[in-house]
Amino acid sequence: DAGVTQSPTHLIKTRGQQVTLRCSPISGHKSVSWYQQVLGQGPQFIFQYYEKEERGRGNFPDRFSARQFPNYSSELNVNALLLGDSALYLCASSLTGGLGYGYTFGSGTRLTVV
Amino acid sequence: SQKIEQNSEALNIQEGKTATLTCNYTNYSPAYLQWYRQDPGRGPVFLLLIRENEKEKRKERLKVTFDTTLKQSLFHITASQPADSATYLCALAQGDNFNKFYFGSGTKLNVKP
């Protein structure tokens, strides 16, 4: 059974550009969460989606947006990239989005902004 | 806002010994506290969850304690092995459905043979 799949694995963008990151959850999981992990720090919560609806948002600017598709896959979009957006972007899937069923993280997308 | 503190210095121990990692938090006690393992270039892997009304939880060689008076959780790995070398993160679960995880910055554990 495939785990959480994220693409691309690595990405280099220039300041001011826009980027789209993709996540496919574990089969049967209906919730996807996005986290940003800056080097040397723990992951920071960005968004959670369940059944295509936003269920939670972290303390990130409006340049960050996301959506979930009918097949439960998700995209994270970041506009007007800043150097400080360089980080590992992690996607986590869960059955329902609640805590009781556990979360599985993907290996992430390493974004470098130059 | 809630602050989660983990020892930023790496913990170096000898194989076979018990590793003890600390997670301290400020403000209110979370309903749930989790521990994750993260290897370089990989996402965190869930290890254990402990609820605020539980004092201790065990899973094989792993043990977690939760002291709401001290606002602290301890994570123990007994009979440690070089394969246990990784960064260990604690995370508090908050939000309406406990769907937002707030992570500490992690402690790197090095187990030497």
Side-chain angles (χ1 to χ4, degrees):
Chain A
D1 222 6
V4 177
T5 306
Q6 292 189 243
S7 64
T9 54
H10 294 83
L11 201 51
I12 299 175
K13 289 285 190 178
T14 304
R15 269 182 303 175
Q17 284 189 316
Q18 175 264 340
V19 68
T20 298
L21 311 180
R22 295 177 177 82
C23 172
S24 292
I26 289 173
S27 177
H29 282 194
K30 299 181 179 180
S31 176
V32 167
S33 300
W34 287 95
Y35 286 80
Q36 179 197 65
Q37 187 173 23
V38 173
L39 201 61
Q41 301 292 319
Q44 272 198 293
F45 176 78
I46 310 175
F47 287 111
Q48 187 194 57
Y49 278 79
Y50 174 68
E51 292 275 16
K52 295 172 288 178
E53 288 191 8
E54 184 184 298
R55 281 285 184 88
R57 174 184 285 253
N59 190 22
F60 280 81
D62 292 342
R63 300 185 295 108
F64 288 77
S65 63
R67 55 180 174 166
Q68 187 177 33
F69 298 98
N71 66 353
Y72 304 115
S73 68
S74 178
E75 287 182 351
L76 175 70
N77 294 285
V78 186
N79 293 323
L81 284 167
L82 304 174
L83 295 179
D85 295 331
S86 296
L88 180 68
Y89 287 85
L90 295 162
C91 170
S93 82
S94 69
L95 196 61
T96 65
L99 185 61
Y101 294 95
Y103 284 72
T104 302
F105 282 83
S107 293
T109 294
R110 172 71 63 188
L111 172 65
T112 302
V113 182
V114 297
Chain B
S1 60
Q2 189 78 281
K3 192 175 176 185
I4 304 148
E5 295 172 342
Q6 293 185 258
N7 195 341
S8 58
E9 290 183 16
L11 177 63
N12 299 305
I13 64 166
Q14 207 64 37
E15 182 177 7
K17 301 292 187 187
T18 296
T20 299
L21 307 176
T22 305
C23 175
N24 295 300
Y25 58 90
T26 59
N27 301 341
Y28 55 89
S29 287
Y32 302 92
L33 191 145
Q34 306 171 80
W35 283 88
Y36 286 79
R37 169 186 172 138
Q38 188 172 26
D39 291 287
R42 307 299 297 271
V45 174
F46 172 76
L47 297 174
L48 279 169
L49 177 149
I50 187 165
R51 293 173 171 78
E52 63 176 337
N53 61 351
E54 296 176 318
K55 292 266 189 275
E56 183 179 298
K57 201 82 168 278
R58 290 176 185 260
K59 180 183 174 183
E60 298 173 353
R61 295 185 295 111
L62 309 180
K63 183 177 86 170
V64 173
T65 62
F66 195 4
D67 189 325
T68 54
T69 303
L70 293 178
K71 297 187 177 180
Q72 182 180 80
S73 175
L74 298 179
F75 177 77
H76 307 270
I77 306 176
T78 58
S80 59
Q81 304 164 1
D84 295 325
S85 298
T87 295
Y88 291 86
L89 301 159
C90 72
L92 312 183
Q94 297 179 3
D96 291 341
N97 199 27
F98 302 106
N99 60 344
K100 300 180 187 178
F101 298 165
Y102 292 87
F103 286 86
S105 56
T107 298
K108 189 167 186 342
L109 173 66
N110 296 311
V111 181
K112 300 182 180 181

